Amino acid sequence: MKVDRPILPEFFKGIALFTPGGDLIYCIDSRKQTRWHLQLCVALQEILGLSEPPHFLIPCYTATVDCWLDQSDRQLRVAAEAYPPVLRHQTLLNAIFGTGDLVWHPRSEEMCEPMAIATYHQQFPELWENHDLVVQYASPEARSDSIGSIVSPSSFPQSQQTPLPKQTALTPPPQTQGYVLRLFVSGSNPSTERTLETLHQFLEQCLDRPYTLKVIDVLKHPEQAEADQISATPTLIKIWPKPVRRIVGELNDDEKIMRLLRYSEF
């Protein structure tokens, strides 16, 4: 039986979360208030049977579209942005969000560090497999807006057609506050890889909250290094929660890193 494309509200925010293997879970929020990224991670965990929510996919594997009314001229405005790893899915994004032939603008590449994402491959191999998933997440609040549930396969070009599952309606998780970290490194080399691996293992084993680790190469982004007053690499900065703190030098002192993370205002 053919399922028609859902009827979208005139003004909404759409958020899509992809996996490295090409699966997709997304939401359509007319209120533009819910912290959807965390909810999509938890939903993906339940759908694929993961050991924990894959927060590390954010923001690198996300795309966002915002449709709003410009108060100055009462015209509908649409802004669509996607990170480099998911820009190839523009046709699919336009299909699920009903945005026609909209061109999605790329977000900054500095937020996406392939080496950091690759460290999760062994722990989450399901994310690198393709399960032909295109799932719309709907909380009870979203369903009250009568937002549709499934995109019809016939809406996609032939090259994009895949079997679609029924909508997965999940209970939203409680809002979670996590860490936002920046790691400044100098180039891609064995020393950088060792630093990433060491830090990744520590964060996975010792943190009880989700975290986002942004890796910045000072050779590619000297302006960012200057803005954060980086004098040496590697440097780890805790951006959130406040207060901002940093560690300069080799990240092999677990106790020092733990003290940096403990001194937080959650």
Side-chain angles (χ1 to χ4, degrees), residues 82-201:
Y83 282 89
V86 302
L87 273 175
R88 61 190 177 93
H89 298 296
Q90 290 189 54
T91 302
L92 178 57
L93 289 167
N94 283 329
I96 62 174
F97 293 126
T99 44
D101 296 325
L102 185 68
V103 176
W104 292 63
H105 296 286
R107 294 294 300 268
S108 174
E109 290 189 17
E110 70 179 29
M111 297 291 288
C112 300
E113 175 51 58
M115 287 191 299
I117 299 294
T119 59
Y120 293 93
H121 188 218
Q122 184 175 359
Q123 184 180 357
F124 299 93
E126 300 89 347
L127 295 175
W128 273 260
E129 302 170 2
N130 185 283
H131 304 87
D132 289 334
L133 291 179
V134 181
V135 180
Q136 181 182 352
Y137 174 99
S139 69
E141 293 83 0
R143 289 197 297 274
S144 67
D145 289 334
S146 299
I147 297 174
S149 60
I150 303 177
V151 178
S152 168
S154 62
S155 303
F156 304 151
Q158 192 67 31
S159 61
Q160 292 284 343
Q161 292 187 19
T162 57
L164 300 181
K166 294 182 179 180
Q167 176 183 355
T168 301
L170 302 170
T171 303
Q175 292 201 356
T176 305
Q177 288 185 315
Y179 293 95
V180 178
L181 307 169
R182 289 180 188 168
L183 175 64
F184 288 84
V185 298
S186 297
S188 177
N189 51 59
S191 176
T192 296
E193 292 180 6
R194 285 194 300 271
T195 298
L196 279 170
E197 182 178 358
T198 300
L199 181 59
H200 164 69
Q201 290 177 352

Side-chain angles (χ1 to χ4, degrees), residues 62-77:
T62 63
T64 305
V65 59
D66 198 356
C67 300
W68 77 97
L69 183 66
D70 191 327
Q71 297 298 328
S72 62
D73 57 11
R74 309 300 295 177
Q75 295 295 313
L76 175 67
R77 305 294 185 198

